[in-house]
Amino acid sequence: MMGRIKPDDAPAGNSEFDAETAADKIEAITSSPPPAPSSGVPNAAAEQPATPQPDAPQTAAEPAPVAPPIVSDPPAPPTAAAPAPAVDESALRYFASRGDKVRLQAEISRLQALYPNWVPPADPLAVPQNGDKQLEAMWKLYSDSRYAELRKAIADRQVADAGWQPPADLLERLGVAEARSRLINASDLKQYATVVDIAAATPSLLTCSEVDVLWRVAEAFIRTERAQRGQDAYAYILKNCTDAAERQATVEKASTLLDYQPMQALLALEKPAVDGKREFDAIRDNLARRFVAESNDDPKLAIAPNYISHLEKLAESEGLASDALLLGWHQLRRNNPADAEKWFRSARDREDTAAASQGLALALIARKAPQEAEDVMFRWRADSDDASATYLAATANLMALQPPADLTEDVLHRIAAEVIARRYVPTAQQFGWYARSLNQFQTAARWFETALAWKPDDEPSAYGLAVTREQLNDRKGVLDLQRGWAGRSARIADLQDTSLPASSAESAKAPRAPQQPVEPPQRPAASTAPIPAEPPTARQPEPEVAIRAARPAMQTVTVERGPRQARDCSTTIDAGRLGPGEALSRGWCLMDINRPMEAVSAFETALQSPVRKIREDAAYGQSLAYLRAGLSSNAAVAATKAPQSRQRAAELQVAILADRALSAFDAGRYRETLIYLDQRAQLQQERIDLMVLRGYCYLNLKMYDDAMRIFEAAAATGNRDAARGLADVRNVTHPDVND
């Protein structure tokens, strides 16, 4: 009789079904009730429905007293002259005879909604039993939700007794119950358009006594891309229904389907609890977790700070690693690596997982600590594609550090093995630049060749191979690369005789940290390859001042620059408003009055010039400005922004290496200082003050014989710092003699 809805019965193929019309009907039904007209019957318009409200079909228990349905066009209130309507009390008698108080009260509420002037019996349980045994049996079938059997019983009796008509109340209840079953069946089969159609045709289902139906209709709206109407259905429940458990369940169900902003509108309908707390406090923890997770999926989503603070308190009080992970990803997505690192470390301390390690590694990369990131991720490198991508990104950033990281042989071997196994080009390329920084040019060439074998169109690797072959005097190899990259790389094509030894400055620009992961765990992007320095071109040298005091006290060496025209740059202006030529002139003026950081901005504007000579001078000037400010890494990057002449390139390399040596010495990294001094010594004879610096490095490394030899050679020139260093060595090696 009622049939079953099959998957192929979806209304998508039914030309008669109009989803928008059905949705409009439901929207009218679930809209706020119109104000009651003034009459002698209070709330008559709101309480008198167009369609009777049936009992729920469940046999175990009936819902709480039925709330009157909300309709768009309530009938006019009855007038005094209207005859009293006949009230069908057959269901009332049936439920009273069975002693079913819950259903009895629901029936009384329904009849009062239909007939405002009807007065229920003083003792409903005393209502005499129905004398029609067949009708009693039919009500029993209805109560047991045996609707098909009930239809058959009605038909059989009408055949046997042509004059008998079933009660209208029974037929109406049966039709609503069958519609409810069809709606639930369609919802379970995910036939959401059918759900909307049935609900629109059966408005008596859309009341607080049918909250499950309202939930299903709300979901159907959302699944058919009408989220606003789904939100309205949930809001109807929160505005009109009073059952606390159903209200809380409504918010929980809505939170799994609606986005953050619609959920805030629903939460605004929260009512104060009896004990002074809020109505939804019991589910607020999960709501905070859900909203923070949603913000992790969408970094542009700004959620209220109280959800973040609430989750932070939960993470600290309950100690769940999952809460700390949510907070870590939230901070990482918003470029707060320090806060992200704190929460990822907390999660990892509680439960060392691939997700926690991946998040921590990304936070470490973001704050330029790739060495620890590589160590953290090594254990989890094969756990998933995301974990592998994060580990490889850490290796690329680690190998690109400037100055080069002091890595043990074991670490280098394990990184190399993983890179070769996964044929990861960015780290292979960085191995080439790393080898060049250690003057291992044959090794560097092999790494660049390997990277090109894996990715033949990798221009940075091709450029690295070109400058390395030039360093090895392999002119044929350079020409082969230039022919192969003709029209694709200007810097390879313009490569001249670069017999100068390469230093770590040539790979000046370290790759950026990879992007933070989307769905914890997020797949990180591969590390960006570094851009090596452009090769110098033959230009007339223009000497520049490069002044830097060394530690311990050392001589100040000045490279004289030709006289420049006096200019007025004492006032502060926005260099971006100047033309490239004016900006270049202002940059040199600012250098003359020792304002290097302002000069950097002026030279940056000049770099936008279409004139090559201005760009070369601007790149040169910006490098010198950064050197004067003590930012040697930035100086190395600036030097790559335009080709430089051989003499200028050599001058910049010498100055950068000297500055890095001084910075490393100040930081107590004496072996690193010696590396930079050795690289500089290949370009230019070592000055006396740098010899003294070398001597103090040996002294701090307890290489006393080497220190003594250096100090003696420098002291022979009359240098006082060298003589003092010689005395320091003797005080350490022969304290008794000096006493």
Side-chain angles (χ1 to χ4, degrees):
M1 296 287 288
M2 62 177 283
R4 295 286 292 174
I5 299 177
K6 305 299 181 183
D8 56 358
D9 293 335
N14 185 358
S15 61
E16 299 179 358
F17 173 68
D18 187 345
E20 284 301 321
T21 302
D24 291 338
K25 292 180 182 179
I26 294 178
E27 183 179 33
I29 293 167
T30 58
S31 62
S32 300
S38 57
S39 67
V41 183
N43 299 326
E47 295 180 355
Q48 185 173 352
T51 307
Q53 167 64 24
D55 270 347
Q58 290 82 357
T59 59
E62 190 73 12
V66 180
I70 307 300
V71 297
S72 57
D73 296 315
T79 62
V87 179
D88 185 355
E89 297 181 352
S90 59
L92 189 70
R93 291 194 299 272
Y94 172 73
F95 294 133
S97 67
R98 294 178 59 86
D100 191 339
K101 294 183 180 181
V102 175
R103 284 178 178 259
L104 179 62
Q105 183 58 48
E107 177 66 9
I108 290 173
S109 298
R110 187 184 73 86
L111 292 176
Q112 286 178 326
L114 287 172
Y115 312 106
N117 294 329
W118 175 75
V119 178
D123 185 6
L125 294 178
V127 175
Q129 295 186 6
N130 194 334
D132 190 337
K133 298 300 182 182
Q134 286 183 290
L135 184 58
E136 291 290 338
M138 292 178 187
W139 278 111
K140 178 67 168 61
L141 291 173
Y142 169 80
S143 179
D144 294 339
S145 302
R146 296 157 62 184
Y147 307 129
E149 295 179 42
L150 175 56
R151 285 285 185 190
K152 184 176 184 303
I154 292 173
D156 290 345
R157 182 164 181 178
Q158 286 179 319
V159 170
D161 185 357
W164 179 83
Q165 291 296 327
D169 182 43
L170 178 61
L171 290 178
E172 180 184 345
R173 284 171 170 274
L174 179 58
V176 172
E178 290 174 336
R180 182 193 298 111
S181 295
R182 292 197 306 274
L183 186 147
I184 292 173
N185 188 50
S187 176
D188 292 341
L189 293 174
K190 303 185 186 305
Q191 297 174 349
Y192 299 114
T194 301
V195 173
V196 175
D197 186 24
I198 296 172
T202 319
S204 57
L205 286 174
L206 304 177
T207 65
C208 290
S209 63
E210 300 285 357
V211 171
D212 179 66
V213 171
L214 288 172
W215 288 338
R216 292 174 183 271
V217 172
E219 180 183 7
F221 274 133
I222 295 170
R223 299 295 189 188
T224 53
E225 299 182 357
R226 287 170 285 183
Q228 180 58 53
R229 292 189 173 180
Q231 177 186 341
D232 292 341
Y234 288 127
Y236 171 81
I237 298 173
L238 296 177
K239 290 177 181 178
N240 298 281
C241 305
T242 58
D243 185 273
E246 291 176 347
R247 290 172 61 82
Q248 180 173 305
T250 298
V251 174
E252 290 181 297
K253 289 178 178 293
S255 69
T256 64
L257 296 171
L258 292 176
D259 294 333
Y260 171 78
Q261 294 298 344
M263 281 303 302
Q264 302 316 298
L266 294 182
L267 290 171
L269 302 174
E270 183 178 19
K271 298 179 180 178
V274 179
D275 56 359
K277 297 181 179 179
R278 290 177 293 180
E279 181 181 12
F280 302 136
D281 277 350
I283 59 175
R284 206 167 302 280
D285 293 353
N286 288 335
L287 288 176
R289 292 183 176 107
R290 190 263 190 198
F291 294 148
V292 173
E294 184 177 341
S295 72
N296 291 344
D297 295 341
D298 181 8
K300 296 181 180 179
L301 175 61
I303 65 175
N306 61 290
Y307 292 118
I308 303 297
S309 59
H310 188 90
L311 187 57
E312 288 176 349
K313 292 177 182 177
L314 281 178
E316 293 169 355
S317 61
E318 298 185 4
L320 294 179
S322 57
D323 290 341
L325 275 177
L326 283 174
L327 290 166
W329 290 118
H330 178 82
Q331 297 295 346
L332 192 62
R333 295 293 196 280
R334 283 149 185 81
N335 298 320
N336 299 321
D339 292 337
E341 181 181 347
K342 178 187 76 171
W343 288 112
F344 283 130
R345 287 191 186 278
S346 176
R348 197 165 178 262
D349 291 342
R350 296 165 186 173
E351 187 178 354
D352 187 4
T353 61
S357 297
Q358 181 183 357
L360 178 57
L362 291 171
L364 291 168
I365 291 173
R367 75 167 179 86
K368 300 182 180 179
Q371 189 164 359
E372 185 180 357
E374 186 275 337
D375 185 63
V376 165
M377 279 304 297
F378 180 72
R379 171 187 172 187
W380 302 100
R381 67 193 184 282
D383 184 79
S384 65
D385 291 342
D386 290 336
S388 177
T390 302
Y391 175 75
L392 292 172
T395 63
N397 281 270
L398 174 57
M399 300 307 299
L401 280 179
Q402 291 297 326
D406 185 11
L407 303 177
T408 65
E409 191 171 330
D410 290 342
V411 172
L412 287 171
H413 282 173
R414 77 186 188 188
I415 293 176
E418 198 69 21
V419 168
I420 293 172
R422 299 185 181 276
R423 302 169 69 90
Y424 190 63
V425 173
T427 305
Q429 178 200 130
Q430 295 296 350
F431 258 116
W433 296 113
Y434 182 83
R436 280 180 58 81
S437 71
L438 300 178
N439 296 327
Q440 299 174 1
F441 302 114
Q442 293 285 0
T443 302
R446 286 195 294 273
W447 275 110
F448 287 132
E449 289 168 353
T450 300
L452 282 172
W454 295 338
K455 187 180 180 184
D457 61 344
D458 188 49
E459 192 272 351
S461 295
Y463 176 75
L465 181 59
V467 296
T468 304
R469 284 179 175 175
E470 185 67 41
Q471 192 70 44
L472 295 169
N473 294 320
D474 183 4
R475 293 300 304 163
K476 181 180 181 301
V478 173
L479 291 174
D480 290 341
L481 282 170
Q482 288 178 323
R483 282 193 293 268
W485 285 87
R488 292 191 293 164
S489 173
R491 59 178 178 174
I492 294 177
D494 294 342
L495 192 68
Q496 302 296 326
D497 180 15
T498 56
S499 58
L500 292 174
S503 70
S504 58
E506 291 179 294
S507 57
K509 191 171 182 180
R512 295 175 296 171
Q515 300 292 323
Q516 292 104 347
V518 138
E519 204 27 11
Q522 175 184 345
R523 185 184 304 276
S527 174
T528 304
I531 302 177
E534 293 285 354
T537 56
R539 290 284 180 183
Q540 291 298 322
E542 186 175 1
E544 182 56 81
V545 178
I547 303 175
R548 176 66 187 266
R551 263 81 56 193
M554 311 174 84
Q555 298 176 0
T556 298
V557 177
T558 302
V559 180
E560 292 297 337
R561 187 181 68 200
R564 292 187 179 274
Q565 182 179 357
R567 288 147 295 179
D568 182 13
C569 56
S570 58
T571 58
T572 300
I573 63 173
D574 183 5
R577 299 180 179 178
L578 302 176
E582 294 175 318
L584 179 64
S585 178
R586 179 175 176 81
W588 290 120
C589 177
L590 290 167
M591 288 289 286
D592 288 338
I593 61 175
N594 201 27
R595 288 160 60 178
M597 295 312 296
E598 292 182 56
V600 166
S601 299
F603 288 128
E604 186 66 31
T605 300
L607 279 167
Q608 309 308 314
S609 173
V611 180
R612 179 170 179 173
K613 180 64 169 63
I614 293 179
R615 293 199 307 272
E616 292 173 0
D617 289 347
Y620 180 66
Q622 193 176 65
S623 297
L624 294 174
Y626 276 126
L627 282 172
R628 186 172 297 182
L631 302 172
S632 57
S633 295
N634 300 70
V637 173
T640 68
K641 294 182 178 180
Q644 301 294 326
S645 67
R646 177 186 298 276
Q647 185 169 342
R648 277 189 177 179
E651 178 188 342
L652 288 175
Q653 286 191 13
V654 167
I656 290 170
L657 290 171
D659 191 89
R660 287 180 170 172
L662 294 172
S663 298
F665 185 88
D666 289 343
R669 301 193 301 269
Y670 304 113
R671 294 187 185 278
E672 187 177 307
T673 304
L674 292 173
I675 291 174
Y676 288 132
L677 291 176
D678 289 340
Q679 292 176 351
R680 185 193 177 282
Q682 295 182 30
L683 302 177
Q684 189 181 84
Q685 184 176 355
E686 198 164 81
R687 303 191 312 251
I688 298 300
D689 54 349
L690 294 179
M691 288 179 63
V692 174
L693 188 69
R694 181 186 292 274
Y696 273 102
C697 287
Y698 288 141
L699 177 60
N700 283 284
L701 293 171
K702 298 182 180 180
M703 301 169 64
Y704 301 121
D705 291 339
D706 292 330
M708 181 71 73
R709 173 176 54 81
I710 293 295
F711 284 135
E712 285 178 346
T717 65
N719 185 277
R720 293 183 180 181
D721 292 323
R724 188 181 301 111
L726 192 58
D728 290 339
V729 175
R730 289 170 179 168
N731 286 336
V732 173
T733 56
H734 302 89
D736 296 336
V737 174
N738 289 292
D739 287 343

